[in-house]
Amino acid sequence: MRIKKISLVFILCFTFALLLVFSNYSNAQTEWTYFSEEPILAMDPLVSWGAYGQPTVLIHNDTIKMWYAVAETTPTDPVVRGRIHYAWSLDGYTWNKHPNNPVLDVGEPEQWDAEWLDTPGILWDGTEFKLYYYADSLYYAGHQDNTAIGLATSPDGINWTRQGKVLEMGAPDEWDGHHIELPALYYDSEIGLYAMLYTGSDRSNYPLTGFIKIGLAISFDGYEWTKWPTNPVMDVGIPPAFNDIGVAGPAIVETDGIFEMWYSGIQAFAPEISSYDSLKVGYAVSLNGTSWIQYPGNPVMQATPGDSTVFWAFGVVWDDSDELYKMYFESHHWQYEEPTQPGVFN
């Protein structure tokens, strides 16, 4: 009985602390304004072809750096594949693409990441950049039974060395037994702890996507990862909530021991759109990364009528230079046409 009372007191204190966080800090994190109706980064259809999205961002040496996925053909590969590109900015508004993109291409034939890369997550641990990414060698087989999260390391964020798979799907009967992707990273330099929030889906609607949830994995070297024993750390909402079939794509910012998360909420049926095109942005806070309290006013962002934006796999940073949170997200999700002659750029 005493243990139960202590647990209850801890929960009450934890909840009260987070409510104070909401009351003191939530305005800036839950009220967002579009910077522009024009994209800050997009393909040049006169030079190349592709679909841009799934940005991950960090501030390093006073530069905002972005890695993002591009579905594209190349002059030497007429098959559409997911590859990782890089861009940088000094203010977060005007961006420069790396001239030799992609910086991380698909693997060699027969390798586990030979067909598709996307949903990158970035980390700088004081020694090297660590890029965690979703990959698949059976993408064109029409299912997601061979997905995993891999790691590549780099001294400069441009030249990468593959380190192989670091996190795989769970067993078929587990919550992440069908698919995993969308890693978001945090590093505690004082204790040398790496943490990864990632998205997994179950097989409740197999072979289609089932319920989508967010889990946690931890590591003390960034290479060997252990899944949190009580995963998932964020479950779906109760119907007809905006996230009743999916919570996904976490982006995290840590400030003075407070973790903030923005994530995609997926609703089974949204009258104005429907199902997986109904993604909206939710917000949650935590003091430990394992127990999250969602903002009672969720969702904090959603597409307006006539707006084609789909809030999926976004990146968020706090920029001290102008004291703003900045969220980078994709628009016109998968709304592209294949070129008449794949691999030939006019």
Side-chain angles (χ1 to χ4, degrees):
M1 181 64 70
R2 185 175 181 181
I3 293 177
K4 291 182 180 179
K5 288 183 178 178
I6 292 174
S7 299
L8 178 59
V9 170
F10 174 77
I11 292 171
L12 290 175
C13 291
F14 181 85
T15 303
F16 180 70
L18 288 180
L19 289 176
L20 288 177
V21 171
F22 275 135
S23 64
N24 291 332
Y25 299 105
S26 63
N27 285 345
Q29 297 92 320
T30 61
E31 298 179 5
W32 294 88
T33 301
Y34 281 101
F35 166 66
S36 170
E37 294 184 0
E38 297 298 320
I40 53 95
L41 196 65
M43 65 179 179
D44 181 353
L46 297 179
V47 178
S48 62
W49 171 87
Y52 283 37
Q54 305 167 350
T56 181
V57 289
L58 60 73
I59 298 178
H60 180 254
N61 292 339
D62 298 323
T63 301
I64 302 181
K65 301 181 177 184
M66 177 191 297
W67 294 260
Y68 56 99
V70 177
E72 62 183 350
T73 59
T74 70
T76 59
D77 185 358
V79 178
V80 180
R81 304 189 193 279
R83 298 174 167 92
I84 307 300
H85 287 223
Y86 169 71
W88 59 275
S89 172
L90 295 179
D91 59 9
Y93 307 107
T94 302
W95 288 83
N96 305 277
K97 299 176 186 176
H98 184 62
N100 295 321
N101 278 324
V103 294
L104 189 65
D105 208 337
V106 293
E108 296 295 326
E110 308 303 324
Q111 292 185 342
W112 75 278
D113 56 356
E115 290 193 358
W116 199 271
L117 314 180
D118 64 21
T119 68
I122 193 66
L123 181 71
W124 167 257
D125 62 8
T127 301
E128 63 184 358
F129 289 96
K130 289 181 167 67
L131 182 70
Y132 298 86
Y133 60 94
Y134 157 96
D136 194 347
S137 62
L138 297 175
Y139 183 84
Y140 285 101
H143 56 77
Q144 299 174 328
D145 294 334
N146 197 46
T147 68
I149 292 174
L151 168 65
T153 57
S154 170
D156 56 12
I158 298 171
N159 299 286
W160 295 94
T161 300
R162 281 176 160 81
Q163 304 295 342
K165 299 180 186 179
V166 294
L167 198 70
E168 300 198 59
M169 299 184 303
D173 60 342
E174 294 183 316
W175 73 276
D176 58 353
H178 177 43
H179 181 79
I180 61 171
E181 60 175 344
L182 292 157
L185 287 306
Y186 169 72
Y187 176 63
D188 187 327
S189 59
E190 292 186 0
I191 61 175
L193 176 68
Y194 296 79
M196 177 195 301
L197 291 171
Y198 69 98
T199 301
S201 66
D202 62 27
R203 292 176 175 244
S204 58
N205 195 28
Y206 190 81
L208 302 177
T209 300
F211 287 99
I212 302 174
K213 304 171 184 179
I214 294 173
L216 171 69
I218 59 173
S219 171
F220 283 98
D221 61 7
Y223 294 82
E224 300 291 332
W225 291 83
T226 301
K227 294 181 181 180
W228 195 249
T230 55
N231 271 338
V233 296
M234 183 173 287
D235 209 332
V236 296
I238 299 174
F242 82 103
N243 57 358
D244 58 13
I245 59 173
V247 290
I252 54 174
V253 172
E254 183 272 337
T255 306
D256 298 328
I258 298 171
F259 294 91
E260 302 173 272
M261 180 203 298
W262 296 263
Y263 60 92
S264 299
I266 309 169
Q267 190 171 6
F269 176 74
E272 70 278 12
I273 314 176
S274 69
S275 191
Y276 288 90
D277 290 330
S278 69
L279 276 71
K280 302 176 177 69
V281 179
Y283 173 68
V285 296
S286 174
L287 298 179
N288 57 18
T290 61
S291 300
W292 294 87
I293 292 184
Q294 300 186 48
Y295 177 59
N298 278 335
V300 298
M301 286 188 72
Q302 57 185 305
T304 57
D307 183 356
S308 63
T309 297
V310 177
F311 292 103
W312 177 255
F314 36 79
V316 180
V317 293
W318 166 259
D319 190 348
D320 280 328
S321 65
D322 49 12
E323 296 187 340
L324 288 174
Y325 286 87
K326 295 176 180 178
M327 178 186 293
Y328 300 91
F329 56 91
E330 62 183 71
S331 188
H332 295 278
H333 182 61
W334 296 121
Q335 294 182 12
Y336 57 81
E337 295 181 357
E338 301 227 9
T340 304
Q341 295 178 288
V344 178
F345 303 139
N346 298 320

